[in-house]
Amino acid sequence: MAKADTTKERPILKSKIFLYVTEFFSGMAVMAAELGASRLLAPYFSSSQIVWTIIIGTIMIALALGAVFGGRWADKDPNPDKLYFRILVAAVWIALIPLVGKYLIIAISGLLIVTVSTNFLVLAAFVSCMAIFVPPLFLLGTVTPGLNKFATDSLEDNASVVGRLSACNTVGSILGTFLPTFITIPAVGTFVTFLIFSGALLCLPVVYFFAARVRSIACAVAVVVFALSGAFSPMSGFAFWENQSVIAYEGESIYNYLQVKNLSDRTILSTNVLFGVQSVTMKQPGLTGMYYDTALAAPALAKKADSALILGMGTGTYARQLRQYYPDMDVTGVEIDGKITKLAGEYFDEPGDIDVSTYDGRAWLAASHDTYDVIMVDAYQDITIPFQMSSKEFFSLVRRHLNPGGVMVVNMNMISDGQGSINEALTDTIASVFDSAFVRTADVPGTTNRELFAKKTDLGGATTAMSESEGMDTLSDPGTLETRTYDRTHSHELASAMNEIAGRLTEVDNPNWKKDATILTDDKAPVEVLGMRAIDNIIAREAGPYRELLRKEGIAGLLRAVQ
């Protein structure tokens, strides 16, 4: 079909305005899908730089291939009906993502977890992104060369046409970037965001085919599929396999997927459906049985226990424990996600008199002049550590905000040892800032957590050996740690726990003695890579029996085992 004949038969294209509108909404849909991809994958694989790299890389591949094939198809058969049909298919595909995407992710993850032994998260995220997002974005990649074919009347104005199309695409992309991040995802969530932008995209081919009075059945089917997805997508959340009766809340903030579970003995917050619990409130007073109990050694190790700062407040678990055992302690919290702080008041009984700032922990420290006896660093972005809160510069900043004899406690979420491990890198980095003689670690039984304690010994600008009265002996003497805890809290329960915890305290090596010590800095802190490696090791250990079962008994045996 010649271009002149096509234009004659499709009057909606004669003014060129509809072509520019198409380019605008196509660009918007691409960026909205990309941002939606990060939020769809984050509850399963985290939102680390590695996952973002996978998303951006696969989408750029799809768009590049779409541009190549779109140009070929436009030259070979310049039929706008085919172009708008591709847009129709892309819109329907994106509309189905909130309905079927989560099931595909779990299916792909389940297949890979028993078949691959390394780089599970990277491979699972990559395959999921390829299966879910590459097809529709490949189709949208064909739009620009196709539109250029129909919008250009002669070579004399070809550059101007390309410029206008590019401008429309860019402006649409800008809105497709800002609207999901700041408006739709925080307000209505990821699933509805996909539906909003796929619906806007769907309007283009529907209007085009309605004006041309062709493909009415295809348009009707597309609208029905869109409506069904809109009706059924919100009926199950990201963790669709969970017992819905225990889920008190499931939603999203600008930073996180958020899930609150109300269990018989505790209430827990998770920001990732596959890995870990970020906060917990026990329904009966006492110790939690989690890493917070080990972290309660910090006030006993410190010279004084009058004030505490918590970076990564979460729902206030550590703050509640401090208030329970150290009721006179002045506690301050910093939490970057304001929605988590709101949930803390609604579901977790966070003490209302604790000052909680909604801010990045490092930026807050940089602006503060206060000092503390205890500083808890428990900042995680999903399952990875923010790089800016893992560097030598950051821990130096924390040290400056400690009182003399004060203690920093760091929650290291993954027990990962050996050369090149994330815990070795963090320990070496902290020991290079604090004297390694005053740094101890303690693994938390039955978990993947390790707590690190570092004591400030800088008195009056000079580093000196601490006297017995300053509490150095409590780092190695269980009896002294138990006695000090009881003297400060009058709690036999906590004092007894400290006796056991003191037995788990382990000295760290001086990084200056190590040939290959890894010191993380603001310039070089590959925590995402190190963290993914640690998670891979945990997954490999847990999935090992299932892989062996698959090898011996096949899929049937594996299915019987997981039923």
Side-chain angles (χ1 to χ4, degrees):
M1 182 182 292
K3 178 187 169 188
D5 295 335
T6 302
T7 304
K8 183 177 180 180
E9 293 180 12
R10 305 291 181 250
I12 195 172
L13 301 183
K14 286 185 177 180
S15 70
K16 306 292 192 303
I17 293 177
F18 192 71
L19 298 175
Y20 294 121
V21 170
T22 300
E23 184 74 7
F24 173 85
F25 280 102
S26 295
M28 179 185 290
V30 167
M31 290 309 301
E34 183 171 332
L35 289 165
S38 72
R39 298 310 294 261
L40 184 71
L41 297 178
Y44 307 98
F45 307 123
S46 87
S47 58
S48 68
Q49 187 178 27
I50 292 174
V51 175
W52 263 111
T53 299
I54 291 169
I55 293 171
I56 294 171
T58 53
I59 287 177
M60 294 300 288
I61 291 171
L63 293 175
L65 290 174
V68 171
F69 282 91
R72 289 181 182 177
W73 294 338
D75 286 337
K76 184 178 180 180
D77 184 9
N79 185 347
D81 289 6
K82 293 184 177 180
L83 173 63
Y84 279 92
F85 185 74
R86 291 197 293 269
I87 297 175
L88 182 77
V89 174
V92 172
W93 189 298
I94 294 172
L96 286 172
I97 288 174
L99 182 63
V100 301
K102 54 201 171 190
Y103 300 103
L104 285 174
I105 290 172
I106 293 300
I108 291 168
S109 299
L111 177 64
L112 290 177
I113 201 169
V114 295
T115 55
V116 302
S117 57
T118 58
N119 297 319
F120 163 75
L121 286 180
V122 173
L123 287 172
F126 176 75
V127 175
S128 297
C129 201
M130 289 289 291
I132 297 171
F133 294 100
V134 166
L137 294 179
F138 166 79
L139 294 175
L140 291 180
T142 68
V143 170
T144 298
L147 292 178
N148 183 55
K149 189 78 172 181
F150 307 126
T152 300
D153 293 318
S154 69
L155 291 177
E156 292 183 359
D157 68 345
N158 182 58
S160 297
V161 169
V162 171
R164 287 193 291 269
L165 287 171
S166 178
C168 289
N169 185 284
T170 301
V171 173
S173 298
I174 292 171
L175 289 177
T177 301
F178 283 90
L179 290 178
T181 300
F182 294 104
I183 298 178
T184 62
I185 290 176
V188 296
T190 298
F191 294 166
V192 177
T193 293
F194 276 115
L195 293 168
I196 289 172
F197 288 94
S198 64
L201 185 65
L202 181 61
C203 289
L204 297 171
V206 169
V207 169
Y208 172 85
F209 288 124
F210 179 80
R213 296 179 181 174
V214 296
R215 301 203 185 225
S216 56
I217 295 178
C219 290
V221 171
V223 171
V224 169
V225 171
F226 175 83
L228 290 174
S229 183
F232 290 104
S233 293
M235 293 180 65
S236 62
F238 286 95
F240 54 86
W241 61 87
E242 294 274 14
N243 181 357
Q244 297 301 307
S245 64
V246 302
I247 297 182
Y249 175 86
E250 187 177 33
E252 297 171 79
S253 70
I254 194 171
Y255 295 103
N256 292 297
Y257 159 80
L258 302 169
Q259 181 194 94
V260 177
K261 282 186 187 178
N262 187 12
L263 304 178
S264 59
D265 63 336
R266 65 190 66 191
T267 303
I268 62 177
L269 171 73
S270 296
T271 61
N272 187 286
V273 299
L274 298 180
F275 301 99
V277 172
Q278 277 62 51
S279 287
V280 62
T281 291
M282 308 304 294
K283 294 186 176 179
Q284 297 295 327
L287 297 173
T288 65
M290 300 178 68
Y291 70 87
Y292 308 101
D293 302 345
T294 302
L296 285 173
L301 293 170
K303 181 180 180 181
K304 298 185 297 180
D306 297 331
S307 59
L309 171 66
I310 304 171
L311 302 177
M313 182 73 163
T315 61
T317 306
Y318 192 58
R320 285 187 296 276
Q321 295 298 98
L322 289 175
R323 276 296 171 83
Q324 179 178 342
Y325 294 106
Y326 295 86
D328 296 328
M329 179 178 281
D330 183 22
V331 181
T332 301
V334 181
E335 170 57 52
I336 194 171
D337 194 334
K339 200 160 187 177
I340 290 181
T341 303
K342 184 179 179 181
L343 292 176
E346 293 180 7
Y347 296 99
F348 293 86
D349 300 323
E350 183 174 85
D353 60 341
I354 292 180
D355 180 29
V356 181
S357 299
T358 303
Y359 222 70
D360 174 81
R362 178 165 176 174
W364 190 93
L365 273 182
S368 172
H369 299 287
D370 296 328
T371 57
Y372 303 88
D373 297 316
V374 173
I375 296 180
M376 168 68 150
V377 180
D378 192 16
Y380 277 85
Q381 182 179 0
D382 298 317
I383 53 178
T384 58
I385 304 170
F387 87 93
Q388 74 274 14
M389 297 184 72
S390 64
S391 65
K392 182 176 182 178
E393 292 85 350
F394 167 71
F395 291 116
S396 296
L397 184 62
V398 172
R399 189 178 188 278
R400 289 198 294 272
H401 283 78
L402 282 171
N403 290 324
V407 170
M408 174 187 72
V409 54
V410 179
N411 175 38
M412 297 194 292
N413 195 32
M414 294 164 287
I415 294 179
S416 172
D417 294 309
Q419 181 66 34
S421 68
I422 187 169
N423 279 356
E424 181 190 54
L426 285 170
T427 302
D428 286 348
T429 301
I430 293 169
S432 71
V433 174
F434 295 80
D435 189 330
S436 61
F438 304 100
V439 179
R440 300 288 188 273
T441 62
D443 290 347
V444 182
T447 75
T448 60
N449 295 87
R450 172 177 294 165
E451 302 305 291
L452 182 148
F453 302 91
K455 196 161 191 172
K456 181 177 181 178
T457 62
D458 188 0
L459 305 176
T463 300
T464 63
M466 298 192 68
S467 69
E468 185 172 313
S469 64
E470 289 163 354
M472 178 53 196
D473 54 347
T474 62
L475 288 175
S476 56
D477 187 341
T480 304
L481 183 60
E482 179 181 15
T483 300
R484 174 170 290 201
T485 300
Y486 182 77
D487 289 344
R488 290 181 172 180
T489 66
H490 303 291
S491 169
H492 290 287
E493 176 191 38
L494 185 61
S496 177
M498 289 303 108
N499 183 288
E500 185 273 330
I501 290 168
R504 289 191 268 119
L505 289 174
T506 304
E507 295 185 25
V508 304
D509 294 332
N510 189 327
N512 295 323
W513 299 343
K514 299 171 67 174
K515 181 179 179 181
D516 300 318
T518 302
I519 308 299
L520 303 175
T521 66
D522 285 348
D523 179 59
K524 185 180 180 182
V527 291
E528 291 92 354
V529 173
L530 297 174
M532 287 290 185
R533 189 181 302 163
I535 293 170
D536 272 341
N537 291 335
I538 294 171
I539 292 172
R541 185 171 62 250
E542 296 296 326
Y546 295 101
R547 291 174 184 160
E548 184 65 19
L549 188 64
L550 178 65
R551 186 182 67 81
K552 290 182 177 180
E553 301 184 24
I555 295 177
L558 181 64
L559 291 176
R560 286 194 299 270
V562 299
Q563 285 178 350

